[in-house]
Amino acid sequence: MAVKRTDRTEPARLSREFGWLAALGVILVLAGLVGLVYTGVATLTSMLLFGWLLLVGGVVGLVHAVQARASGYFWLGVVVAALNIAAGVVVIARPEAAAAALTMFAALLFLTGGVFRLVGSLVVRGPQFGWTLVQGAFGLLLGILVLASWPSSSKYVIGCFFSLALLFDGLGLVATGFGGRKIVGMVAERQETTAGPTESE
């Protein structure tokens, strides 16, 4: 009895899908590397994308609020959608100013997070004491460095973070794609080995 065609085509289809996943990861890695080289362009690009996401999300939220105008959350939905639309328009119109404000906010988050981690590690002194202490010191130092060179740091900080996110996401997709292809190949080989004696029956 011959092996069914779907038994052979399914691993091939899965292998192709994992291959496309790995290809997407390579594209993201390349985009991240380019962004790390041209951080200014990456900053403006990320802010424009952020602005358009806010704008589109606000329009979609407004449409949903109008469709659900009979509910008690109509005005809340309208206010939130209007705020998203207004923020999106401001970010798209003034990406440099938006990047400066977001950089300031990120620096303050690093500072406060670093201080809390430092104080928490010194007070609790748990099993992760050393690692938490290093994280707190790194966050505090990063916040101080960003604030010390602000607002000029806003030209590269957001772009650097955005590019690093693309880079690590791409590396994760590449690892998943190649790992998935390897697993599918091993499973297909085992299926062929098991089904080999029955093919000639």
Side-chain angles (χ1 to χ4, degrees):
M1 181 177 62
V3 180
K4 292 182 180 179
R5 183 178 181 84
T6 55
D7 294 340
R8 294 180 176 179
T9 58
E10 187 67 18
R13 183 183 65 82
L14 289 175
S15 182
R16 283 195 303 270
E17 290 179 356
F18 279 115
W20 283 113
L21 197 65
L24 177 61
V26 171
I27 293 174
L28 290 181
V29 168
L30 292 176
L33 292 175
V34 171
L36 288 175
V37 175
Y38 302 99
T39 51
V41 177
T43 297
L44 290 179
T45 303
S46 60
M47 295 312 302
L48 289 174
L49 287 174
F50 181 58
W52 279 108
L53 285 175
L54 286 174
L55 185 59
V56 173
V59 172
V60 172
L62 185 61
V63 172
H64 286 171
V66 171
Q67 290 176 347
R69 55 185 176 274
S71 65
Y73 300 99
F74 168 69
W75 289 110
L76 178 62
V78 170
V79 170
V80 172
L83 289 175
N84 284 335
I85 293 173
V89 170
V90 171
V91 171
I92 293 171
R94 300 289 301 276
E96 297 89 355
L102 194 58
T103 302
M104 171 68 76
F105 180 68
L108 293 176
L109 282 181
F110 286 133
L111 280 174
T112 54
V115 170
F116 276 115
R117 282 194 175 93
L118 282 175
V119 174
S121 63
L122 293 174
V123 171
V124 177
R125 291 185 177 271
Q128 302 293 329
F129 167 73
W131 179 245
T132 308
L133 192 68
V134 170
Q135 281 184 318
F138 180 76
L140 185 63
L141 179 62
L142 187 59
I144 291 173
L145 289 176
V146 172
L147 281 180
S149 57
W150 190 86
S152 60
S153 59
S154 62
K155 297 178 181 178
Y156 59 85
V157 169
I158 303 299
C160 184
F161 290 162
F162 180 69
S163 300
L164 286 174
L166 289 178
L167 179 61
F168 287 116
D169 286 345
L171 289 175
L173 289 178
V174 169
T176 303
F178 281 107
R181 282 174 65 92
K182 185 176 181 180
I183 293 174
V184 170
M186 293 170 60
V187 172
E189 287 180 2
R190 180 168 296 183
Q191 286 179 345
E192 289 179 0
T193 304
T194 327
T198 63
E199 288 184 354
S200 58
E201 295 179 3

